[in-house]
């Protein structure tokens, strides 16, 4: 049996008629850009995430970009963030002309190390951007404390973390701005690109809304240079159908994560393959289930040959990317991120994954691990 990394049909199929009706509603209205679907989605997601303001945008990348623009961050400024994330995190900082100040991660959680954040603050720091990677919140209290001491805002890159919590508080509601992605593979995915900003400050929300639409308010009067960051109404309509199911889908992922832990133990893989860390104060939503092994590339080839979906998130940290060569980093500067980049492999975790499929995944990993043991090659 082939096991895909993600099966969107399994999630979207049962909602087919409801989704088609929502799409038809937009088509009948002919309101394709902004309008009532966007406004309704913003209100519904704001309530879900426990914030007074939500601003729907065109993608998760544009959410990060707009957050930086709304805070007035630009040339000469610095933003402290992780070196280990999807490219948009660091790329958007560079796009507004600021300098991404990269720091290493905690080796267990993959999230930014708060102590490294504190050491990276300078008089030029204009924001701290922690990433809630793979669906697990960063350790936010020390980051927020450092931000308060330094007088800088926190932008939460929560692109992979809708529904995650930190000490009972939703990820994306803790800093000045939260940034979410609704890319189709996310726990809450649209039928294309879409994203969201969350915030508590009404003036900041007003500025973000203006910048989302070319800095225009009212029509054809431009107070700032913004961009076209508007969400399509069709995407909003799809998300409104899917959002009420998010908690159930998330819990299904968490059940699958617990089952994986049992199956890996029963297969004798304790100490051979490292499983995702779960901080006790956090609700992990498992946007990805990332295992670690020093023989990652060999394991990937083994799983590929057996039709088991997997993906490397992420093979090259920011500080080793060619486009960031001007930052002056070199191999060895951030050893925890570099090791994670060489050892991490995501395996299927979507909520509709069956017990049989999970058993097949673990059996394939165990087959590889036992073959390595027989050859006297350590796996971790």
């Amino acid at each position: 049996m082939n096991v895909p990394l993600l099966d969107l049909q399994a999630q979207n199929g049962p909602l087919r008629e409801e989704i088609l009706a929502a799409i038809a509603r937009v088509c009948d209205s002919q309101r394709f850009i902004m309008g009532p679907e966007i406004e309704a989605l913003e209100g519904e997601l704001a309530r879900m995430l426990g914030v007074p303001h939500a601003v729907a945008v065109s993608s998760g990348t544009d959410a990060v970009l707009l957050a930086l623009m709304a805070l007035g961050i630009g040339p000469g400024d610095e933003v402290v963030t992780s070196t280990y994330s999807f490219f948009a995190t660091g790329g958007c900082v560079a796009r507004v002309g600021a300098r991404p100040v990269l720091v290493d991660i905690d080796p267990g959680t993959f999230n930014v190390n708060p102590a490294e954040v504190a050491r990276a603050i300078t008089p030029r720091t204009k924001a701290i951007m922690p990433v809630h990677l793979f669906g697990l919140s960063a350790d936010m209290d020390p980051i927020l404390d450092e931000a308060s001491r330094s007088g800088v805002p926190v932008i939460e890159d929560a692109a992979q973390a809708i529904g995650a919590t930190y000490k009972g508080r939703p990820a994306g509601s803790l800093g000045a701005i939260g940034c979410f992605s609704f890319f189709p593979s996310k726990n809450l995915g649209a039928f294309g690109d879409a994203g969201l900003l969350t915030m508590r400050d009404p003036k900041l929300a007003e500025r973000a809304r203006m910048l989302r639409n070319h800095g225009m308010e009212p029509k054809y009067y431009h107070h700032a240079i913004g961009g076209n960051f508007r969400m399509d109404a069709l995407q909003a309509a799809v998300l409104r159908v899917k959002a009420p199911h998010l908690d159930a889908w998330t819990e299904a992922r968490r059940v699958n994560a617990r089952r994986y832990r049992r199956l890996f133990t029963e297969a004798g893989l304790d100490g051979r393959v490292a499983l995702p860390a779960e901080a006790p104060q956090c609700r992990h939503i498992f946007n990805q289930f990332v295992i670690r092994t020093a023989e990652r590339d060999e394991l990937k080839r083994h799983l590929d040959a057996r039709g088991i979906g997997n993906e490397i998130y992420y093979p090259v940290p920011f500080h080793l990317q060619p486009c960031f060569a001007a930052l002056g980093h070199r191999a060895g500067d951030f050893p925890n991120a570099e090791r994670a980049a060489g050892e991490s492999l995501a395996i299927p975790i979507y909520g509709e994954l069956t017990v049989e499929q999970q058993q097949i995944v673990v059996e394939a990993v165990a087959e590889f691990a036992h073959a390595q043991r027989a050859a006297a090659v350590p796996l971790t």
Side-chain angles (χ1 to χ4, degrees):
M1 179 190 294
N2 290 342
V3 183
L5 182 64
L6 179 65
D7 184 357
L8 288 177
Q9 181 59 45
Q11 180 185 91
N12 293 327
L15 300 175
R16 174 183 172 86
E17 296 307 318
E18 194 175 351
I19 290 173
L20 289 176
I23 292 172
R25 183 176 69 237
V26 174
C27 292
D28 290 342
S29 76
Q30 298 292 293
R31 294 290 300 275
F32 297 113
I33 303 295
M34 304 303 291
E37 294 289 346
I38 301 295
E39 294 167 6
L41 177 70
E42 289 175 337
E44 291 159 8
L45 293 181
R47 288 189 291 275
M48 175 191 295
L49 295 166
V51 294
H53 304 286
V55 180
V57 294
S58 42
S59 71
T61 297
D62 288 340
V64 176
L65 184 61
L66 181 56
L68 294 162
M69 294 171 66
L71 291 170
I73 294 171
D77 297 335
E78 295 179 349
V79 176
V80 178
T81 192
S82 173
T83 189
Y84 186 66
S85 178
F86 178 66
F87 181 76
T89 306
C92 288
V93 175
R95 281 184 65 188
V96 298
R99 178 184 177 88
V101 176
L102 306 176
V103 297
D104 209 354
I105 60 171
D106 177 276
T109 66
F110 300 106
N111 284 324
V112 68
N113 184 328
E116 297 294 329
V117 170
R119 282 191 281 270
I121 300 294
T122 76
R124 293 182 296 277
T125 302
K126 293 299 183 289
I128 300 170
M129 192 188 303
V131 183
H132 306 311
L133 200 64
F134 304 146
L136 177 66
S137 172
D139 188 5
M140 289 299 294
D141 278 352
I143 293 173
L144 292 167
D145 289 345
E146 181 58 41
S148 179
R149 282 191 295 271
S150 303
V152 298
V154 171
I155 302 170
E156 296 176 73
D157 184 340
Q160 300 177 3
I162 190 165
T165 63
Y166 175 78
K167 297 183 177 180
R169 296 170 289 172
S173 72
L174 305 168
I177 303 179
C179 304
F180 294 89
S181 170
F182 302 123
F183 187 77
S185 65
K186 297 295 191 290
N187 289 30
L188 179 58
F191 277 15
D193 275 317
L196 189 79
L197 294 182
T198 53
M199 58 206 78
R200 299 188 179 278
D201 184 337
K203 292 185 178 179
L204 189 58
E206 181 181 3
R207 178 169 174 79
R209 293 182 192 280
M210 179 184 68
L211 292 172
R212 168 180 66 179
N213 192 24
H214 296 289
M216 182 168 61
E217 183 61 41
K219 192 173 184 179
Y220 302 135
Y221 289 80
H222 301 268
H223 303 273
I225 306 298
N228 178 6
F229 304 133
R230 301 170 303 209
M231 181 189 290
D232 292 340
L234 287 168
Q235 302 301 346
V238 171
L239 288 167
R240 292 185 65 203
V241 172
K242 298 182 70 175
H245 300 274
L246 178 62
D247 279 345
W249 291 336
T250 297
E251 187 53 34
R253 285 174 179 259
R254 288 172 54 79
V255 168
N256 286 344
R258 291 194 292 271
R259 185 180 295 118
Y260 264 141
R261 295 187 190 282
R262 175 175 60 79
L263 292 172
F264 271 88
T265 296
E266 291 174 354
L269 292 169
D270 288 349
R272 304 281 294 169
V273 177
L275 302 184
E278 288 190 76
Q281 73 272 25
C282 297
R283 181 193 191 219
H284 200 324
I285 66 162
F286 294 102
N287 187 241
Q288 285 89 24
F289 190 92
V290 177
I291 63 176
R292 294 182 64 163
T293 166
E295 304 296 325
R296 190 271 310 283
D297 293 344
E298 292 85 349
L299 175 59
K300 177 173 175 51
R301 287 193 288 270
H302 177 82
L303 296 181
D304 288 344
R306 280 152 182 77
I308 294 174
N310 62 88
E311 186 64 67
I312 297 172
Y313 299 106
Y314 296 95
V316 184
F318 294 161
H319 67 283
L320 300 180
Q321 292 284 358
C323 65
F324 286 134
L327 297 178
H329 295 294
R330 57 187 177 183
D333 283 354
F334 304 112
N336 292 329
E338 291 172 30
R339 184 180 176 193
E343 295 182 348
S344 300
L345 188 68
I347 59 175
I349 189 61
Y350 55 94
E352 298 77 18
L353 196 67
T354 67
V355 175
E356 182 184 9
Q357 287 174 315
Q358 285 192 272
Q359 290 171 333
I360 290 169
V361 173
V362 175
E363 286 167 4
V365 175
E367 178 186 33
F368 173 80
H370 298 329
Q372 292 292 310
R373 178 182 293 169
V377 177
L379 192 63
T380 58

